[in-house]
Amino acid sequence: MLAIAMVCKPKLLIADEPTTALDVTVQKEMLRLMKELQHEFDVSILFITHDLGVVAEMCDRVNVMYAGQVVESTTLEDLFDDPRHPYTEGLLAAIPDPRAKGARLSAIPGAVPAPWDWPTTCRFQDRCSHAEPGRCDAMPIPLREATGGRAVRCVRDGELTLKGLGG
Ligand code: SF4
């Protein structure tokens, strides 16, 4: 599939979950090959994945999406060290910590609403531990530019201290 995709020498390669169902050895080989192709053909890669380990391996810039919207746009380093959206914080908290053997795994409560149930206000509000009635459910939340070349879709951005992988 990669060979077929590269034969026209594209400037942009869109890789949608390319490592799904691969075992870790094949996945590692696939990521190595994609990096090689990226350099050899000078191609940008838009990588779509649920695997934050793959994100850490492959990405320079990350757009976190929830219910069809970008909720945070940031660099790889800031994503893991300094998340600014509560959904990003929840995703990082859900990464199993091998040092916390026997501890209960963290999960974001609830489930992603179906598209026909998406509220016109914050789509994450029913699952967000930082939700504030009267603000989060009052109006549509735009994706706002923030400092450091970032963008965040949250009315409480700048008020919250969220936990990254560093604690
Ligand atoms: S707008 Fe409110 S509910 Fe939505 S992510 Fe931010 S704090 Fe949570």
Coordinates of all heavy atoms in Angstrom, one line a residue, residues 13-84:
L13 N 1.1 12.8 2.2 CA 0.6 11.4 2.4 C -0.3 11.4 3.6 O 0.1 11.8 4.7 CB 1.8 10.5 2.6 CG 1.5 9.0 2.8 CD1 0.9 8.4 1.5 CD2 2.8 8.2 3.2
I14 N -1.6 10.9 3.4 CA -2.5 10.8 4.5 C -2.6 9.4 4.9 O -3.0 8.5 4.1 CB -3.9 11.3 4.1 CG1 -3.8 12.8 3.6 CG2 -4.9 11.2 5.2 CD1 -5.1 13.3 3.1
A15 N -2.1 9.1 6.1 CA -2.0 7.7 6.6 C -3.1 7.6 7.7 O -2.9 8.1 8.9 CB -0.6 7.5 7.2
D16 N -4.2 6.9 7.4 CA -5.3 6.8 8.4 C -5.2 5.5 9.1 O -5.4 4.4 8.5 CB -6.6 6.9 7.6 CG -7.8 7.0 8.6 OD1 -7.6 6.9 9.8 OD2 -8.9 7.2 8.1
E17 N -4.8 5.5 10.4 CA -4.6 4.3 11.2 C -3.7 3.3 10.5 O -4.2 2.1 10.4 CB -5.9 3.7 11.6 CG -6.8 4.7 12.4 CD -6.6 4.7 13.9 OE1 -5.5 4.2 14.3 OE2 -7.3 5.3 14.6
P18 N -2.6 3.6 10.0 CA -1.8 2.6 9.2 C -1.2 1.5 10.0 O -0.8 0.5 9.4 CB -0.7 3.5 8.6 CG -0.5 4.6 9.5 CD -1.8 4.9 10.1
T19 N -1.2 1.6 11.3 CA -0.6 0.5 12.1 C -1.6 -0.3 12.8 O -1.3 -1.2 13.6 CB 0.4 1.1 13.1 OG1 -0.3 2.1 14.0 CG2 1.6 1.8 12.4
T20 N -2.9 0.0 12.6 CA -4.0 -0.8 13.3 C -3.8 -2.3 12.9 O -3.6 -2.7 11.8 CB -5.3 -0.3 12.8 OG1 -5.4 1.1 13.1 CG2 -6.5 -1.0 13.5
A21 N -3.9 -3.1 14.0 CA -3.9 -4.6 13.8 C -2.5 -5.1 13.5 O -2.4 -6.3 13.2 CB -4.9 -5.0 12.8
L22 N -1.5 -4.3 13.5 CA -0.2 -4.8 13.3 C 0.4 -5.2 14.6 O 0.2 -4.5 15.6 CB 0.7 -3.8 12.6 CG 0.3 -3.3 11.2 CD1 1.3 -2.3 10.7 CD2 0.2 -4.5 10.2
D23 N 1.2 -6.2 14.7 CA 1.9 -6.5 15.9 C 3.1 -5.5 16.1 O 3.5 -4.8 15.1 CB 2.4 -8.0 16.0 CG 3.5 -8.3 15.1 OD1 4.5 -7.6 15.0 OD2 3.3 -9.3 14.3
V24 N 3.6 -5.4 17.3 CA 4.5 -4.3 17.6 C 5.8 -4.3 16.7 O 6.3 -3.3 16.3 CB 4.9 -4.2 19.1 CG1 3.9 -3.6 19.9 CG2 5.3 -5.6 19.6
T25 N 6.2 -5.5 16.3 CA 7.4 -5.7 15.5 C 7.2 -5.1 14.1 O 8.0 -4.3 13.6 CB 7.9 -7.1 15.4 OG1 7.8 -7.7 16.7 CG2 9.3 -7.3 14.9
V26 N 6.1 -5.5 13.5 CA 5.7 -5.0 12.2 C 5.4 -3.5 12.2 O 5.8 -2.8 11.3 CB 4.5 -5.8 11.6 CG1 4.2 -5.3 10.2 CG2 4.8 -7.3 11.6
Q27 N 4.8 -3.1 13.3 CA 4.5 -1.7 13.5 C 5.7 -0.8 13.5 O 5.8 0.2 12.8 CB 3.7 -1.5 14.8 CG 3.4 0.0 15.1 CD 2.6 0.2 16.3 OE1 1.5 -0.3 16.4 NE2 3.1 0.9 17.3
K28 N 6.7 -1.3 14.2 CA 8.0 -0.6 14.3 C 8.6 -0.5 12.9 O 9.2 0.6 12.5 CB 8.9 -1.4 15.3 CG 10.0 -0.5 15.8 CD 10.7 -1.2 16.9 CE 12.0 -0.4 17.3 NZ 13.0 -1.1 17.8
E29 N 8.6 -1.6 12.2 CA 9.2 -1.6 10.9 C 8.4 -0.7 9.9 O 9.1 0.1 9.1 CB 9.1 -3.1 10.3 CG 9.8 -3.3 9.0 CD 11.3 -3.0 9.0 OE1 11.9 -3.0 10.1 OE2 11.8 -2.7 7.9
M30 N 7.1 -0.7 10.0 CA 6.3 0.2 9.2 C 6.6 1.7 9.5 O 6.8 2.5 8.6 CB 4.8 -0.1 9.5 CG 3.9 1.0 9.0 SD 3.7 0.9 7.2 CE 2.1 0.1 7.1
L31 N 6.8 2.1 10.8 CA 7.0 3.4 11.1 C 8.4 3.8 10.6 O 8.6 4.9 10.1 CB 6.9 3.6 12.6 CG 5.6 3.4 13.2 CD1 5.6 3.7 14.7 CD2 4.5 4.3 12.6
R32 N 9.4 2.9 10.7 CA 10.7 3.2 10.2 C 10.7 3.4 8.7 O 11.3 4.4 8.2 CB 11.7 2.0 10.6 CG 13.1 2.2 10.3 CD 13.9 1.0 10.4 NE 13.5 -0.1 9.4 CZ 13.7 0.0 8.1 NH1 14.4 1.0 7.6 NH2 13.3 -1.0 7.3
L33 N 10.0 2.6 8.0 CA 9.9 2.8 6.6 C 9.2 4.1 6.2 O 9.7 4.8 5.3 CB 9.0 1.6 6.0 CG 8.9 1.5 4.5 CD1 10.2 1.4 3.8 CD2 8.0 0.3 4.1
M34 N 8.2 4.5 6.9 CA 7.5 5.7 6.6 C 8.5 6.9 6.9 O 8.5 7.9 6.1 CB 6.3 5.9 7.5 CG 5.2 4.9 7.0 SD 3.6 5.1 7.9 CE 2.9 6.5 7.1
K35 N 9.3 6.8 7.9 CA 10.2 7.9 8.2 C 11.2 8.0 7.0 O 11.6 9.1 6.6 CB 10.9 7.7 9.5 CG 10.2 8.2 10.7 CD 11.0 8.0 11.9 CE 10.3 8.5 13.1 NZ 11.0 8.1 14.4
E36 N 11.7 6.9 6.6 CA 12.7 6.8 5.5 C 12.1 7.4 4.2 O 12.7 8.3 3.6 CB 13.0 5.4 5.2 CG 14.2 4.9 6.0 CD 14.5 3.4 5.6 OE1 14.2 3.0 4.5 OE2 15.0 2.7 6.5
L37 N 10.8 7.0 3.9 CA 10.2 7.6 2.7 C 10.0 9.1 2.8 O 10.1 9.8 1.9 CB 8.8 6.9 2.5 CG 8.9 5.4 2.1 CD1 7.5 4.8 2.1 CD2 9.5 5.3 0.7
Q38 N 9.6 9.5 4.0 CA 9.4 11.0 4.3 C 10.7 11.8 3.9 O 10.6 12.8 3.2 CB 9.0 11.2 5.7 CG 8.7 12.6 6.0 CD 8.4 12.8 7.5 OE1 8.8 12.1 8.4 NE2 7.6 13.8 7.8
H39 N 11.8 11.3 4.3 CA 13.1 12.0 4.1 C 13.5 11.8 2.6 O 13.9 12.8 1.9 CB 14.2 11.5 5.0 CG 13.9 12.0 6.4 ND1 13.8 11.1 7.5 CD2 13.7 13.2 6.9 CE1 13.5 11.8 8.6 NE2 13.5 13.1 8.3
E40 N 13.3 10.6 2.1 CA 13.8 10.4 0.7 C 13.0 11.2 -0.3 O 13.5 11.7 -1.3 CB 13.7 8.9 0.4 CG 14.4 8.5 -0.9 CD 14.3 7.0 -1.1 OE1 14.3 6.2 -0.1 OE2 14.3 6.6 -2.3
F41 N 11.6 11.2 -0.1 CA 10.8 11.9 -1.1 C 10.3 13.3 -0.6 O 9.5 13.9 -1.3 CB 9.5 11.0 -1.3 CG 9.8 9.7 -2.1 CD1 10.1 8.6 -1.4 CD2 9.8 9.7 -3.5 CE1 10.4 7.4 -2.1 CE2 10.0 8.5 -4.1 CZ 10.4 7.4 -3.4
D42 N 10.8 13.7 0.5 CA 10.5 15.1 1.0 C 8.9 15.2 1.1 O 8.4 16.2 0.5 CB 11.1 16.2 0.2 CG 11.0 17.5 0.8 OD1 10.9 17.5 2.1 OD2 11.0 18.5 0.1
V43 N 8.3 14.3 1.7 CA 6.8 14.3 1.7 C 6.3 14.6 3.1 O 7.0 14.1 4.1 CB 6.3 12.9 1.2 CG1 6.7 11.8 2.0 CG2 4.7 12.9 1.2
S44 N 5.3 15.4 3.2 CA 4.6 15.6 4.6 C 3.7 14.4 4.8 O 3.0 13.9 3.9 CB 3.9 16.9 4.6 OG 4.7 18.0 4.4
I45 N 3.6 14.0 6.1 CA 2.7 12.9 6.4 C 1.6 13.4 7.4 O 2.0 13.9 8.5 CB 3.4 11.7 7.0 CG1 4.5 11.2 6.0 CG2 2.5 10.6 7.3 CD1 5.3 10.0 6.5
L46 N 0.4 13.2 7.0 CA -0.7 13.5 8.0 C -1.1 12.1 8.6 O -1.7 11.3 7.9 CB -1.9 14.1 7.2 CG -3.2 14.3 8.1 CD1 -3.0 15.3 9.2 CD2 -4.3 14.9 7.2
F47 N -0.8 12.0 9.8 CA -0.9 10.7 10.5 C -2.2 10.7 11.3 O -2.3 11.5 12.2 CB 0.3 10.5 11.4 CG 0.8 9.1 11.4 CD1 1.8 8.6 10.6 CD2 0.2 8.2 12.3 CE1 2.2 7.3 10.7 CE2 0.6 6.9 12.4 CZ 1.6 6.5 11.6
I48 N -3.1 9.8 11.1 CA -4.3 9.7 11.9 C -4.3 8.5 12.8 O -4.1 7.4 12.2 CB -5.6 9.7 11.0 CG1 -5.6 10.9 10.1 CG2 -6.9 9.6 11.8 CD1 -6.6 10.8 8.9
T49 N -4.3 8.6 14.1 CA -4.1 7.5 15.0 C -4.7 7.7 16.3 O -4.9 8.9 16.7 CB -2.6 7.2 15.1 OG1 -2.5 6.0 15.9 CG2 -1.8 8.3 15.8
H50 N -5.1 6.6 17.0 CA -5.5 6.7 18.4 C -4.3 6.4 19.3 O -4.5 6.4 20.6 CB -6.6 5.7 18.7 CG -7.9 6.2 18.1 ND1 -8.3 5.9 16.8 CD2 -8.9 6.9 18.6 CE1 -9.5 6.4 16.6 NE2 -9.9 7.0 17.7
D51 N -3.2 6.0 18.8 CA -2.1 5.5 19.5 C -1.1 6.6 19.9 O -0.3 7.0 19.0 CB -1.4 4.4 18.7 CG -0.4 3.6 19.5 OD1 0.2 4.2 20.4 OD2 -0.1 2.4 19.2
L52 N -1.1 7.0 21.2 CA -0.2 8.1 21.5 C 1.3 7.7 21.5 O 2.2 8.6 21.3 CB -0.5 8.6 22.9 CG -1.8 9.4 23.0 CD1 -2.2 9.8 24.4 CD2 -1.8 10.7 22.2
G53 N 1.6 6.4 21.5 CA 3.0 5.9 21.4 C 3.4 6.2 19.9 O 4.5 6.6 19.7
V54 N 2.5 6.0 19.0 CA 2.8 6.2 17.6 C 3.0 7.7 17.3 O 3.9 8.2 16.6 CB 1.7 5.6 16.6 CG1 1.9 6.1 15.2 CG2 1.8 4.1 16.7
V55 N 2.1 8.5 18.0 CA 2.2 10.0 17.9 C 3.6 10.4 18.4 O 4.3 11.2 17.7 CB 1.1 10.7 18.8 CG1 1.3 12.2 18.9 CG2 -0.3 10.4 18.2
A56 N 4.0 9.9 19.5 CA 5.3 10.3 20.1 C 6.5 9.9 19.1 O 7.5 10.6 19.0 CB 5.5 9.6 21.4
E57 N 6.3 8.8 18.4 CA 7.3 8.4 17.5 C 7.4 9.2 16.2 O 8.5 9.4 15.7 CB 7.0 6.9 17.2 CG 8.0 6.2 16.3 CD 9.1 5.5 17.1 OE1 9.0 5.4 18.4 OE2 10.0 5.0 16.5
M58 N 6.2 9.6 15.7 CA 6.2 10.1 14.4 C 5.9 11.6 14.2 O 6.2 12.1 13.1 CB 5.0 9.4 13.6 CG 5.2 7.9 13.4 SD 6.6 7.5 12.3 CE 6.0 8.1 10.7
C59 N 5.3 12.2 15.2 CA 4.7 13.6 14.9 C 5.6 14.7 15.4 O 6.3 14.6 16.4 CB 3.3 13.6 15.5 SG 2.2 12.4 14.8
D60 N 5.5 15.8 14.7 CA 6.1 17.1 15.1 C 5.0 18.0 15.7 O 5.2 18.6 16.7 CB 6.7 17.9 14.0 CG 7.8 17.0 13.3 OD1 8.7 16.5 14.0 OD2 7.8 16.9 12.1
R61 N 3.8 18.0 15.0 CA 2.7 18.8 15.5 C 1.5 17.9 15.6 O 1.3 16.9 14.8 CB 2.5 19.9 14.4 CG 1.5 20.9 14.9 CD 1.5 22.2 14.3 NE 0.6 23.0 15.1 CZ 0.9 23.7 16.2 NH1 2.2 23.9 16.5 NH2 0.0 24.3 16.9
V62 N 0.6 18.2 16.6 CA -0.5 17.3 16.8 C -1.8 18.1 16.9 O -1.9 19.1 17.6 CB -0.3 16.5 18.2 CG1 -1.4 15.5 18.4 CG2 1.1 15.8 18.2
N63 N -2.8 17.6 16.2 CA -4.2 18.1 16.4 C -5.0 17.0 17.2 O -5.2 15.9 16.6 CB -4.9 18.4 15.1 CG -4.3 19.7 14.4 OD1 -3.8 20.6 15.1 ND2 -4.4 19.7 13.1
V64 N -5.5 17.3 18.4 CA -6.3 16.4 19.1 C -7.7 16.6 18.7 O -8.2 17.8 18.8 CB -6.1 16.6 20.6 CG1 -7.0 15.6 21.4 CG2 -4.7 16.5 21.0
M65 N -8.5 15.6 18.3 CA -9.8 15.7 17.9 C -10.8 15.0 18.8 O -10.5 13.9 19.3 CB -10.0 15.2 16.5 CG -9.2 16.0 15.4 SD -9.8 15.7 13.7 CE -11.4 16.4 13.7
Y66 N -11.9 15.7 19.1 CA -13.0 15.0 19.8 C -14.3 15.4 19.2 O -14.6 16.5 18.9 CB -13.0 15.6 21.3 CG -14.1 14.9 22.1 CD1 -13.9 13.7 22.7 CD2 -15.3 15.5 22.3 CE1 -14.9 13.0 23.4 CE2 -16.3 14.9 23.0 CZ -16.1 13.7 23.6 OH -17.1 13.0 24.3
A67 N -15.1 14.3 18.9 CA -16.5 14.5 18.3 C -16.4 15.4 17.1 O -17.2 16.3 17.0 CB -17.4 15.0 19.4
G68 N -15.5 15.1 16.2 CA -15.4 15.8 14.9 C -14.8 17.2 15.0 O -14.8 17.9 13.9
Q69 N -14.3 17.6 16.1 CA -13.7 19.0 16.2 C -12.2 18.8 16.7 O -11.9 18.0 17.5 CB -14.4 19.8 17.2 CG -15.8 20.2 16.7 CD -16.5 21.1 17.8 OE1 -16.3 20.9 19.0 NE2 -17.3 22.0 17.3
V70 N -11.4 19.7 16.2 CA -10.1 19.9 16.8 C -10.3 20.6 18.1 O -10.9 21.7 18.1 CB -9.1 20.7 15.9 CG1 -7.8 21.0 16.6 CG2 -8.9 19.9 14.6
V71 N -9.8 20.0 19.2 CA -10.0 20.7 20.5 C -8.6 21.2 21.0 O -8.6 22.1 21.9 CB -10.5 19.7 21.6 CG1 -12.0 19.3 21.2 CG2 -9.7 18.5 21.8
E72 N -7.5 20.7 20.4 CA -6.2 21.3 20.8 C -5.3 21.1 19.7 O -5.2 20.0 19.1 CB -5.7 20.6 22.1 CG -4.3 21.1 22.5 CD -4.0 20.9 23.9 OE1 -4.7 20.2 24.7 OE2 -2.9 21.3 24.4
S73 N -4.5 22.1 19.3 CA -3.5 22.0 18.3 C -2.2 22.4 18.9 O -2.1 23.6 19.5 CB -3.8 22.9 17.1 OG -2.8 22.8 16.1
T74 N -1.1 21.6 18.9 CA 0.1 21.9 19.6 C 1.3 21.1 19.1 O 1.2 20.3 18.2 CB -0.2 21.6 21.1 OG1 0.9 22.1 21.9 CG2 -0.4 20.1 21.4
T75 N 2.4 21.4 19.7 CA 3.6 20.7 19.3 C 3.6 19.4 20.1 O 2.9 19.2 21.1 CB 4.9 21.4 19.7 OG1 4.9 21.6 21.1 CG2 5.0 22.8 19.0
L76 N 4.5 18.4 19.7 CA 4.5 17.1 20.3 C 5.0 17.3 21.8 O 4.4 16.7 22.7 CB 5.6 16.3 19.6 CG 5.8 14.9 20.2 CD1 4.5 14.0 20.0 CD2 7.0 14.2 19.5
E77 N 6.0 18.1 22.0 CA 6.5 18.3 23.4 C 5.4 18.9 24.3 O 5.2 18.4 25.4 CB 7.7 19.2 23.4 CG 9.0 18.7 22.8 CD 8.9 18.7 21.3 OE1 8.1 19.4 20.7 OE2 9.6 17.9 20.7
D78 N 4.7 19.9 23.9 CA 3.7 20.5 24.7 C 2.5 19.6 24.9 O 1.8 19.6 26.0 CB 3.2 21.8 24.1 CG 4.2 23.0 24.3 OD1 5.1 22.8 25.2 OD2 4.1 24.0 23.6
L79 N 2.2 18.7 23.9 CA 1.1 17.8 24.1 C 1.3 16.9 25.3 O 0.4 16.8 26.2 CB 1.0 16.9 22.9 CG -0.2 15.9 23.0 CD1 -1.5 16.4 22.4 CD2 0.2 14.6 22.3
F80 N 2.5 16.4 25.5 CA 2.7 15.5 26.6 C 3.1 16.2 27.9 O 2.7 15.7 28.9 CB 3.9 14.5 26.2 CG 3.4 13.5 25.2 CD1 3.9 13.6 23.8 CD2 2.6 12.4 25.5 CE1 3.4 12.6 22.9 CE2 2.2 11.5 24.6 CZ 2.6 11.6 23.3
D81 N 3.8 17.3 27.8 CA 4.2 18.0 29.0 C 3.2 19.0 29.6 O 3.2 19.2 30.8 CB 5.5 18.7 28.8 CG 6.7 17.8 28.4 OD1 6.5 16.6 28.7 OD2 7.7 18.2 27.9
D82 N 2.5 19.6 28.7 CA 1.6 20.7 29.1 C 0.3 20.8 28.4 O 0.1 21.7 27.6 CB 2.4 22.0 28.9 CG 1.7 23.3 29.3 OD1 0.8 23.2 30.2 OD2 1.9 24.3 28.7
P83 N -0.6 19.8 28.6 CA -1.8 19.7 27.8 C -2.7 20.9 28.2 O -2.7 21.3 29.4 CB -2.5 18.4 28.2 CG -1.9 18.1 29.6 CD -0.5 18.6 29.5
R84 N -3.5 21.5 27.3 CA -4.3 22.6 27.6 C -5.8 22.3 27.5 O -6.6 23.2 27.8 CB -3.9 23.8 26.7 CG -2.5 24.3 26.9 CD -2.5 25.5 27.9 NE -3.1 26.7 27.4 CZ -2.5 27.6 26.8 NH1 -1.2 27.6 26.6 NH2 -3.1 28.7 26.4

